[in-house]
Amino acid sequence: MQEEKFDPAFSSTAKLDYAFGIPLTFLGIDLPVIPLYVNAYVPPQPRIERCYHLGQAIGRGLKALGKRAVVVASGGLSHFPGTDRYASPATKFDLKLMRELGTGNLRWLLSLDDRMLDKTGNIELRCWAVAAGMLGERVPDMVSFDPSWHHNYATFAWWSAQNGDTNPLHYPAIAPERVTLTDALHRIANDEAERARFSANRASFAAGLNLSPEETAALIAMDENAFTRLGVHPFVPFMARLQLEREE
């Protein structure tokens, strides 16, 4: 952790309290456990960004060691023990949090500053942020929300393996080997003479470009889905098609 620029405190005598005991009991875990205390209540507390980055550092450490681990983060949603708001959990805020994290947007936690955590009674989300840093952007396999008059309870769980990007970008990186094809599309979109030459004979236009068979077929058909599969930025063929349609 020190190489990751973290200096965690260490104790040989600290006892595990209910924050550890309850989840471990419910999960029936009877394996070696490394407890990690996150100071949620007593100023100065760590910023939530720092907690998230700590989780990332732990994840990198496990990967470097070739180890797998079960991550359990304990901490309730909005509650205000010892204050006049004890009977008024911030349920509206908690439901928004559930929606965001339920989509796999775990980085949403980073939008919460210290004042917002305190205002909504969610200071224990610092613990969640550590787990979020270890997990990355992942859609949970299970979500539950159980409100009460004084404390909102929630559970997120992940157990499925990550199989690539389940939410691909609309505008991914451009494949460098498609420069010639991209240049041709750009000329069709922006050069009137080139556009006229393409419209007059698409096959002849494509034949002079030294394209692959797949690229040639996509260009002649102006197949935008094929362009995207080939790694062409979708905005370029979109503009080319738009200009061609305007002149029809």
Side-chain angles (χ1 to χ4, degrees):
M1 286 294 96
Q2 289 180 323
E3 292 181 3
E4 290 277 0
K5 297 182 173 56
F6 285 93
D7 298 291
F10 174 81
S11 173
S12 297
T13 58
K15 296 181 180 180
L16 299 185
D17 61 8
Y18 66 91
F20 293 94
I22 292 175
L24 293 177
T25 299
F26 272 97
L27 292 171
I29 294 176
D30 187 21
L31 295 168
V33 174
I34 300 177
L36 176 65
Y37 290 84
V38 178
N39 174 28
Y41 276 90
V42 183
Q45 301 109 310
R47 296 182 64 84
I48 203 161
E49 298 94 335
R50 187 68 170 160
C51 297
Y52 186 89
H53 295 153
L54 174 61
Q56 289 181 314
I58 295 172
R60 287 191 294 268
L62 288 169
K63 186 175 182 180
L65 292 170
K67 300 291 185 181
R68 299 184 64 191
V70 175
V71 183
V72 181
S74 172
L77 291 187
S78 62
H79 59 303
F80 301 87
T83 76
D84 58 359
R85 287 194 60 187
Y86 184 59
S88 303
T91 301
K92 183 177 179 180
F93 175 89
D94 290 350
L95 289 172
K96 177 177 175 59
L97 178 142
M98 297 297 295
R99 289 192 297 270
E100 292 290 344
L101 272 58
T103 66
N105 182 20
L106 306 191
R107 290 180 63 87
W108 184 82
L109 291 169
L110 298 178
S111 69
L112 307 176
D113 60 18
D114 293 348
R115 183 170 293 277
M116 180 58 71
L117 292 173
D118 183 84
K119 178 182 178 181
T120 62
N122 275 295
I123 56 178
E124 294 179 9
L125 286 180
R126 291 178 172 89
C127 305
W128 291 35
V130 176
M134 297 178 70
L135 289 165
E137 300 296 273
R138 297 178 60 176
V139 177
D141 295 288
M142 189 272 285
V143 178
S144 71
F145 180 73
D146 299 291
S148 77
W149 66 271
H150 67 91
H151 190 160
N152 289 330
Y153 302 87
T155 303
F156 289 91
W158 294 260
W159 56 78
S160 298
Q162 282 186 286
N163 296 314
D165 189 353
T166 58
N167 187 26
L169 298 173
H170 289 96
Y171 299 105
I174 301 170
E177 64 272 21
R178 306 303 179 195
V179 171
T180 301
L181 177 59
T182 299
D183 178 69
L185 289 165
H186 189 271
R187 287 187 281 116
I188 292 169
N190 296 282
D191 188 313
E192 185 176 353
E194 289 291 275
R195 189 161 55 250
R197 191 164 68 86
F198 175 77
S199 297
N201 191 325
R202 294 188 177 190
S204 176
F205 182 94
L209 297 175
N210 193 29
L211 300 174
S212 70
E214 294 82 5
E215 291 174 320
T216 298
L219 182 60
I220 292 173
M222 281 302 291
D223 187 337
E224 292 180 61
N225 290 328
F227 290 137
T228 300
R229 289 194 298 271
L230 288 167
V232 176
H233 194 287
F235 184 71
V236 182
F238 167 77
M239 290 303 298
R241 176 181 58 79
L242 199 64
Q243 293 298 332
L244 288 168
E245 289 178 351
R246 285 175 175 173
E247 295 183 357
E248 288 180 352

